[in-house]
Amino acid sequence: EGMPVALMEAMWMGLPVIASDLPANREVLCDGECGRLVPPGASAALAAALEDFMRDERAARELALRARRRARACFSPERYARRVTGLWERLLAEKERAPGRAGAQEEEIS
């Protein structure tokens, strides 16, 4: 998937999040600000992050709260719908301006 939907859903639910440090995850989760990113395949780093969350539940809750705020601000369904609509509008406008577009002669004749 282009965007890590499960990660965003966990953030929306206000859960403390640990994810693999991959480009798409980096776009969604700010390491140390609203969750933790660990190197892919680094089981020791994952275990350490989990232990940190269990050891300091207050800090884990604070990360989760910030994650929830970020998810609501940046990844709300309304914002997503506006972005997709805007993209389609730009693409359609470009198509209308493109030389030699299909149907252009029919409109000129009508």
Side-chain angles (χ1 to χ4, degrees):
E1 62 188 330
M3 290 296 285
V5 175
L7 178 58
M8 290 186 288
E9 288 173 343
M11 292 169 66
W12 260 89
M13 295 300 297
L15 299 172
V17 178
I18 302 168
S20 295
D21 189 4
L22 300 170
N25 291 348
R26 263 183 250 126
E27 288 183 45
V28 174
L29 184 70
C30 302
D31 188 32
E33 179 184 321
C34 57
R36 296 280 300 274
L37 293 171
V38 297
S43 56
L46 175 60
L50 287 167
E51 286 177 3
D52 289 347
F53 279 5
M54 291 188 299
R55 193 173 322 115
D56 192 349
E57 290 180 28
R58 188 176 75 63
R61 279 194 306 271
E62 182 60 33
L63 286 175
L65 179 61
R66 288 195 300 253
R68 187 173 194 172
R69 285 187 202 130
R70 177 169 168 72
R72 289 176 185 253
C74 299
F75 308 110
S76 71
E78 296 82 12
R79 181 180 171 133
Y80 178 76
R82 283 193 308 269
R83 291 180 73 190
V84 169
T85 301
L87 173 63
W88 278 107
E89 288 171 350
R90 283 192 308 277
L91 291 172
L92 289 171
E94 287 175 18
K95 182 179 177 184
E96 290 294 318
R97 290 190 303 267
R101 67 180 178 85
Q105 291 177 336
E106 295 170 353
E107 288 176 345
E108 293 172 5
I109 296 172
S110 311

